[in-house]
Amino acid sequence: MAQSASDTANLGKGSSPALDISELSLRFPRQETPILSLPHLAVAPGTILGVAGPSGSGKSSLLYLLTGLLRPGKGSIHWGETDITALSEGACDAWRRKHVGFIFQDFHLIGELSPLENVLLPAGFHGWRVPVDLRKRAADLLNLVGVPTNRGSVTDLSRGEQQRVAIARALLFDPPILLADEPTASLDRDAAENCADILFANARDNHRTLIIVSHDHTVIDRCPRVLHFDKGQLLTENEAA
Amino acid sequence: MNPFPIVFASLRRHWVMNLLFVLLIAVAVAIGVGITAQERALRQGSAHAADKFDILVAAPGSQTDIVMNTIFLRPSAVNLLEGPVWSKLLSDDRVDFAAPLAFGDSWHNHSIVGSTAQFVDYLSGGLKDGTMFADHEEAVIGVAVPLEIGDSFEPAHGHGIEAEEHHHHGVNIKVVGRMKATGTPWDSAIVVPVEQVWEVHSLGTGHADDEDHEHNEDHDDDHAHDEHDHEHDHHHDNGASAAAAQDHDHDEDHGAAHHDEHGGEHDHAPGEAHDHDDEDHPDHAVKLGPPFDGVDLPGVPAMVVHPKTVAGAYSLRSSYRTDHSMAFFPAEVLVEMYEMLGNASSVMRWMALGTQALVVAAILAAVLALMQIYRKQFAVLRALGAPKSYIFGAIWLYVATLVVFGAAIGLGLGWAVAQAVSQAFTAETGMAMRATIAAPELTLAAGFILIGFALALVPAFMLYRKPVVDALRGS
């Protein structure tokens, strides 16, 4: 099945949905204390939201809940009109494919593929052949993040370059929601700043929602709105004036 | 959905392990393919070798021994068919032609078989080079005999080590012709006139005139030995006592269970008289082949009979099943041998299947272990939006690719091994064997692939069901 024309024609044209969380609670089986509890959270479209807190505070669990990879014990998560907690697994996969870009601390690139092939990997989720315009977009994204497209394998790249490839991969379908889990944790200072610049610029310039989990204060300090978690509870919420 | 980039990446990532998987599968498939291809090649080769032996008539005993002696030229002691019995066959109306087969001698492990020119023509469809034997001490050879036309050799009694100790000293047989290739063990045989075999073992000639002549010559020898400058006479003269001694030795070696024929004189096959024979034997012509009108015909190990009709074949088989003879279709004996072979190969095939099952199980276990390594990669793909079907398809395709490559290589490997074994067998026996890949082997490989496809669902389904977040947290 070839990539549908509408999939690529709508690239960059989707608007970010608002996030509305209500009475969210996540607990592991046989544990009385929830690992994450969030009575209410509303995030406007195009918000850059930082999530901070010590290890085990529930930051990553929040990201997984927001993408439907994890199902809460109770509560609801609305992205726009869609309550993703009510979607079936298949429907949630389809929603995530269409709306979410994900960036990991360890990049999780496929070492045997080139940077361009890695960026185009999500295209294989949709169709058999990669449309020419999508291939061009992948090359443009690599140029945007400053990674040469002619490298044979991503293993030839520096860690900073690899994370930038991962960012390009997350941006392939220009998702309205971008989630980043410790995107700079394994990078040196310069590379970290460079990657953060790309993420923030994309969110600001394209009015995309960016939720970024990080221990890195230089990253968190750049977020207009920051949630501080500890032991699964939202402790404080800072919002730039 | 296109999971091939992930499949190819997975194949490249652990290429040594994947190569090992492919080789294991290839060996498992090759064992099964090799056994079936080799078994069929053996059946076809042996059936072809028996093509020209419509009916065999021999003294009562083991039919298998007769088949092994006559068709496959594997010497063993057999009872002799009495002269009156086999000579009757020659004049039987139901017989197109019949020829005696007399074994026992060899040259460098090449069986020397006494028979008739008619049999040679029938067996090989004519000569490739040279002429048909027209004298007692002439021979035609199979294509695989390392002699040239014009070469001479000294036959030995028996085969192998025994033969090296029992040369027929003073007997020199000249190669005059070479048979066309038959693709049977007879390509390694040396065929001489049956009279030569009888003669060298001092058992008469099978021809009345020759026996009279021989008697006269013996008589003459007492008086004028030096006057005869004749090859035949020479060894016969030598044999006045030596032949008797040879016979004596022979009887000691084989008891009563071996052919020993003694030929008298050369006989020209019709129209094949040698000029030099006429010159050397102004008083008589060399007689070879039927009619055998000797008074006391020697026994022969077997007669090969070509009937005129199919009905005649069955009638002959019935007529010659008596207290003094047995008649049978070699094909029937081969079928019995195939059944035994089939039972053995059936056991081997089951063992091969067991091996294949073990290999598949081992690979499956290894793939499941490997999937734990891939688990996080697939969880990341899910987080990036890959549907479960994509993950399922990628894992299934990965295992299926290993199975298909392994089976394809195994098919080729099995064929190559069977071919090599066939060639070695051909070199050993002279029986042309050609291992081929046919429906049974393709079915076996296809069956293996289908089972592999089915089993590939196991890791695909297991990983498909793994919680994504558990794998993502597991870094």
Side-chain angles (χ1 to χ4, degrees), chain B residues 98-301:
Chain B
L101 298 175
F103 308 96
D105 290 348
S106 69
W107 175 80
H108 290 196
N109 267 339
H110 291 273
S111 289
I112 297 176
V113 186
S115 191
T116 62
Q118 200 177 9
F119 173 71
V120 172
D121 273 338
Y122 177 66
L123 179 73
S124 70
L127 295 178
K128 182 171 175 252
D129 299 308
T131 59
M132 185 60 70
F133 48 70
D135 201 346
H136 285 199
E137 286 163 352
E138 290 182 350
V140 294
I141 57 176
V143 289
V145 177
L147 286 169
E148 298 299 328
I149 292 173
D151 288 350
S152 292
F153 63 91
E154 186 177 74
H157 188 68
H159 289 76
I161 298 170
E162 175 199 11
E164 290 170 13
E165 296 169 356
H166 295 88
H167 278 268
H168 292 299
H169 293 295
V171 178
N172 274 294
I173 297 176
K174 184 180 177 184
V175 177
V176 296
R178 188 185 292 276
M179 291 186 282
K180 289 178 183 169
T182 64
T184 73
W186 285 77
D187 286 342
S188 295
I190 297 169
V191 186
V192 296
V194 68
E195 291 86 349
Q196 195 280 333
V197 178
W198 291 332
E199 182 183 40
V200 82
H201 294 101
S202 308
L203 286 172
T205 65
H207 298 285
D209 291 349
D210 294 337
E211 283 165 3
D212 292 344
H213 176 65
E214 184 183 342
H215 175 76
N216 292 337
E217 284 176 350
D218 287 346
H219 180 72
D220 292 344
D221 287 342
D222 292 340
H223 304 287
H225 179 260
D226 293 340
E227 290 177 8
H228 279 269
D229 182 19
H230 181 277
E231 197 173 306
H232 154 69
D233 288 341
H234 175 67
H235 83 72
H236 213 347
D237 292 343
N238 285 348
S241 58
Q246 280 178 334
D247 247 2
H248 179 66
D249 291 347
H250 183 68
D251 290 342
E252 280 180 355
D253 291 346
H254 298 284
H258 229 324
H259 64 88
D260 268 314
E261 307 289 340
H262 177 284
E265 275 297 335
H266 324 289
D267 186 8
H268 295 293
E272 289 184 345
H274 277 209
D275 292 343
H276 72 85
D277 289 335
D278 292 338
E279 290 164 12
D280 292 348
H281 304 277
D283 53 342
H284 78 288
V286 175
K287 282 188 175 177
L288 293 180
F292 296 101
D293 51 1
V295 177
D296 189 14
L297 286 174
V300 293

